[in-house]
Amino acid sequence: KAGVTQTPRYLIKTRGQQVTLSCSPISGHRSVSWYQQTPGQGLQFLFEYFSETQRNKGNFPGRFSGRQFSNSRSEMNVSTLELGDSALYLCASSGALANTGELFFGEGSRLTVL
Amino acid sequence: AQSVAQPEDQVNVAEGNPLTVKCTYSVSGNPYLFWYVQYPNRGLQFLLKYITGDNLVKGSYGFEAEFNKSQTSFHLKKPSALVSDSALYFCAVRDRGSTLGRLYFGRGTQLTVWP
């Protein structure tokens, strides 16, 4: 079974631009979550989607948004990029029906903002 | 507020020796506890979890973790370290009342196993 796939793996943008990152969960998984990983802040939760509905959200500004499609694929968008948005963005999926399940992470999209 | 502490940024052990990576947490109620490992330029890989029951849980690659409710700790252990265990290890917790995708992570501990 294929794992969580994130595209693109690497990208470089300049301040003020916007970026869209894509995540394809493991087949059959309906829960998709996004995390930001930086050396300074560590791993921080962005948001979580289930069946096309956002059901949890972290403490990030409105420039960060996401959505989930009917096939469970998810995208996240960051508008008006800032230097501090440079990070590894990780997507995770789960097929668990209860909240005792573990998350399965993709390899991430590394964003560099110049 | 929920928080996870990994008091050691770096742990160095010799191959063949036992290893321990420490984790303490501050979460209301009885949280679910997890360990993940991250290799360079890769995502996180699940190692093990504690939900309920036996305080010693066994996971992937020979790792185990001991849950101690009174000390609110969940230390990761392995009886005999391998050089290939060298990686970044994260402890994470989930509040029982929270959603599936919401984990709180520690800052990570870099484990180096030298030959």
Side-chain angles (χ1 to χ4, degrees), chain A residues 9 31 33 35 37 39-43 45 48 55-56 88 90 94 96 98-103 105-107, chain B residues 32 34 36 38 41-44 46 49 51 88 90 94-107:
Chain A
R9 288 291 313 280
S31 171
S33 303
Y35 286 81
Q37 184 178 19
Q41 299 298 319
L43 282 154
F45 172 76
E48 174 187 1
R55 65 178 184 180
N56 207 338
L88 181 66
L90 293 167
S94 178
N99 70 345
T100 55
E102 60 269 28
L103 303 183
F105 285 83
E107 297 194 333
Chain B
Y32 304 130
F34 303 82
Y36 285 85
Q38 185 178 35
N41 299 313
R42 305 295 293 274
L44 277 66
F46 169 74
K49 66 181 178 182
I51 303 301
L88 186 57
F90 290 96
R94 180 188 294 134
D95 191 312
R96 288 193 176 224
S98 182
T99 56
L100 178 60
R102 185 52 164 114
L103 292 175
Y104 293 88
F105 284 90
R107 297 300 299 267

Side-chain angles (χ1 to χ4, degrees), chain A residues 32-113:
Chain A
V32 173
S33 303
W34 290 88
Y35 286 81
Q36 181 196 63
Q37 184 178 19
T38 60
Q41 299 298 319
L43 282 154
Q44 294 187 287
F45 172 76
L46 282 156
F47 25 64
E48 174 187 1
Y49 290 88
F50 184 86
S51 294
E52 301 179 68
T53 301
Q54 185 182 88
R55 65 178 184 180
N56 207 338
K57 188 176 187 300
N59 188 27
F60 277 81
R63 301 185 296 108
F64 292 81
S65 63
R67 58 179 177 169
Q68 187 181 33
F69 302 95
S70 58
N71 61 357
S72 293
R73 190 177 70 85
S74 178
E75 289 181 347
M76 67 163 284
N77 183 277
V78 188
S79 63
T80 320
L81 284 166
E82 301 176 359
L83 295 179
D85 296 333
S86 295
L88 181 66
Y89 290 88
L90 293 167
C91 170
S93 74
S94 178
L97 298 178
N99 70 345
T100 55
E102 60 269 28
L103 303 183
F104 296 86
F105 285 83
E107 297 194 333
S109 293
R110 184 166 295 280
L111 170 65
T112 301
V113 182

Side-chain angles (χ1 to χ4, degrees), chain B:
Chain B
Q2 294 88 341
S3 67
V4 181
Q6 294 181 239
E8 301 158 316
D9 291 336
Q10 181 105 18
V11 170
N12 299 308
V13 298
E15 188 173 33
N17 282 1
L19 69 86
T20 298
V21 182
K22 297 179 181 178
C23 172
T24 60
Y25 62 91
S26 175
V27 178
S28 58
N30 299 310
Y32 304 130
L33 302 161
F34 303 82
W35 276 100
Y36 285 85
V37 60
Q38 185 178 35
Y39 295 97
N41 299 313
R42 305 295 293 274
L44 277 66
Q45 295 179 29
F46 169 74
L47 281 178
L48 50 79
K49 66 181 178 182
Y50 175 82
I51 303 301
T52 187
D54 193 353
N55 290 345
L56 185 66
V57 293
K58 296 188 182 298
S60 306
Y61 313 118
F63 284 94
E64 57 190 28
E66 187 169 14
F67 169 65
N68 187 316
K69 185 175 181 178
S70 63
Q71 298 185 1
T72 61
S73 67
F74 189 54
H75 300 331
L76 182 69
K77 301 181 179 185
K78 187 173 183 181
S80 179
L82 299 172
V83 173
S84 58
D85 292 331
S86 298
L88 186 57
Y89 289 80
F90 290 96
C91 179
V93 302
R94 180 188 294 134
D95 191 312
R96 288 193 176 224
S98 182
T99 56
L100 178 60
R102 185 52 164 114
L103 292 175
Y104 293 88
F105 284 90
R107 297 300 299 267
T109 298
Q110 182 66 49
L111 172 67
T112 301
V113 181
W114 39 277

